Amino acid sequence: MSNTEKTFHTNPIMKNIYTADPAPMVCGDTLYLYTTHDEDVLVNDFYTMYDWRCFSTKDMVNWTDHGRIFSLDDIEWADDRAWAPQCAERGGKYFLYCPVHKKNGGMAIAVGVSDSPTGPFRDIGHPLVDEGDWNDIDPTVFIDDDGQAYLYFGNPELRYVLLNEDMVSYDEKTGVVKIPMTVESFGNGSHDTGTSYGEGPWFYKRDGLYYMVYAAFAEVTDKNGVEVPRGDNAQINEHLAYSTSTSPTGPWVYRGVLMTDEGGVFTNHPGIAEFKGHHYLFYHTGELPGGSLFHRSVCAAEFTYNEDGSIDTVPKCSGVCAV
Ligand code: FUB
């Protein structure tokens, strides 16, 4: 291996399979990266996704492939759409939150539990969140300093539940809370709520400020600059945007575009991590050979925070240096 290869890893991170929906988790000196997996051969010319993958690194350059760590075969009540996951550790156990399509219709959020970050994960046997609509996708989990764990999720609405300490059930009394989808919170955009918020939320806290990063749909205008009625989002690709709040439950304040849609495919999906003193935005594009909206690949970009906690737009990039 040449010196250049040792110190720089070119995007996309995984070059042998199509991966999407990156979800990093840092444990000690290791960064684990959970992803979805776009199959090479499509069924019905749509997302064809059956399992979740895990990769790990200690330096952002050398990656270990842990293979398939959870799959639809492990979830008796699910039959399709192994979509965007996130993993969290609590009390030495690892919890992998995964959207899936139920055998009896609709999307819901499953949880796999393991003693190891690299699995195997065992399904808890039933959906964690199942509202009976299609909004229950793209879970993001964060445990606050006071021990309260939050699970946000949703497309087109952002919702959350308060996870109980067991991480596999939630406070039924509070139930599923719907965040007010306002332009002040999520910016002007063309998604169904009339804001830019689309899907793929990523929730975390830094220096006392809560961040919600998400895939977003810009306002669509015609060649004369006139707004085109929303409803047909297929004409634009998702960009990434973010909002912040001084409380874990909002109100959220829209802060701007984190990554433009330039060089992307229809979806994008953020995952943020601080690792060995560096900040990384994981995202996906269609840049592997054969890439498309259904054949995506996960990339990483290093970024910095401004002193006031804001983040400048992060360009899609060619790779990252070793740490
Ligand atoms: O990968 C399947 C779906 O597409 C994810 O759940 C969304 O975030 C979007 O990336």
Side-chain angles (χ1 to χ4, degrees):
M1 186 182 277
S2 78
N3 198 39
T4 317
E5 282 168 327
K6 269 188 205 153
T7 56
F8 192 81
H9 189 74
T10 55
N11 280 324
I13 299 173
M14 276 60 74
K15 296 175 171 61
N16 57 334
I17 58 166
Y18 296 112
T19 55
D21 306 317
M25 179 183 73
V26 174
C27 282
D29 68 349
T30 305
L31 183 144
Y32 295 92
L33 185 63
Y34 300 86
T35 73
T36 53
H37 171 210
D38 287 336
E39 296 287 336
D40 291 3
V41 178
L42 298 182
V43 176
N44 297 329
D45 204 22
F46 190 60
Y47 298 102
T48 305
M49 304 166 71
Y50 304 136
D51 59 11
W52 296 272
R53 301 297 177 114
C54 181
F55 307 85
S56 69
T57 184
K58 290 184 190 299
D59 60 8
M60 293 300 287
V61 167
N62 296 291
W63 288 87
T64 302
D65 183 348
H66 301 282
R68 160 195 277 228
I69 42 103
F70 197 37
S71 88
L72 293 175
D73 292 342
D74 304 317
I75 307 171
E76 193 278 324
W77 50 271
D79 64 358
D80 202 358
R81 300 189 190 181
W83 283 6
Q86 190 178 342
C87 191
E89 183 272 340
R90 184 165 212 163
K93 288 206 176 300
Y94 297 85
F95 301 90
L96 189 65
Y97 299 89
C98 302
V100 288
H101 183 266
K102 293 177 295 171
K103 282 182 176 162
N104 59 357
M107 296 294 290
I109 297 172
V111 196
V113 184
S114 176
D115 294 327
S116 156
T118 55
F121 287 87
R122 290 173 310 279
D123 174 45
I124 61 170
H126 55 85
L128 168 66
V129 180
D130 180 9
E131 299 175 277
D133 64 21
W134 289 82
N135 198 77
D136 297 347
I137 69 166
D138 293 1
T140 177
V141 58
F142 171 70
I143 306 172
D144 210 345
D145 301 335
D146 63 1
Q148 178 62 60
Y150 299 83
L151 188 89
Y152 271 91
F153 56 92
N155 173 350
E157 290 182 5
L158 183 62
R159 302 176 185 171
Y160 73 85
V161 293
L162 300 174
L163 290 175
N164 294 327
E165 212 170 323
D166 64 10
M167 299 292 274
V168 296
S169 63
Y170 65 84
D171 177 6
E172 301 273 356
K173 219 169 121 206
T174 306
V176 176
V177 181
K178 296 185 178 188
I179 294 291
M181 302 305 291
T182 65
V183 169
E184 291 72 29
S185 289
F186 301 107
N188 220 342
S190 62
H191 205 31
D192 301 359
T193 60
T195 74
S196 83
Y197 176 84
E199 56 184 355
W202 185 269
F203 179 43
Y204 68 104
K205 180 167 138 180
R206 179 180 177 271
D207 286 349
L209 191 64
Y210 296 88
Y211 289 76
M212 191 67 70
V213 183
Y214 45 90
F217 291 99
E219 232 178 346
V220 187
T221 52
D222 65 18
K223 61 181 183 332
N224 301 314
V226 177
E227 195 180 338
V228 172
R230 65 184 70 97
D232 183 11
N233 290 319
Q235 59 195 303
I236 50 168
N237 292 340
E238 289 177 341
H239 63 275
L240 301 181
Y242 77 108
S243 305
T244 58
S245 173
T246 51
S247 137
T249 55
W252 293 97
V253 177
Y254 179 69
R255 299 294 294 270
V257 171
L258 187 61
M259 176 173 271
T260 70
D261 67 350
E262 202 181 326
V265 286
F266 175 57
T267 63
N268 197 350
H269 192 105
I272 303 268
E274 179 174 358
F275 184 51
K276 300 190 175 176
H278 297 255
H279 301 284
Y280 296 99
L281 167 62
F282 293 87
Y283 58 98
H284 68 226
T285 66
E287 68 193 71
L288 263 190
S292 72
L293 76 166
F294 301 130
H295 292 114
R296 300 161 292 177
S297 42
V298 164
C299 300
E302 188 170 354
F303 71 95
T304 54
Y305 290 88
N306 297 318
E307 259 184 36
D308 64 356
S310 61
I311 315 171
D312 295 333
T313 303
V314 181
K316 295 187 177 76
C317 68
S318 58
V320 294
C321 290
V323 291

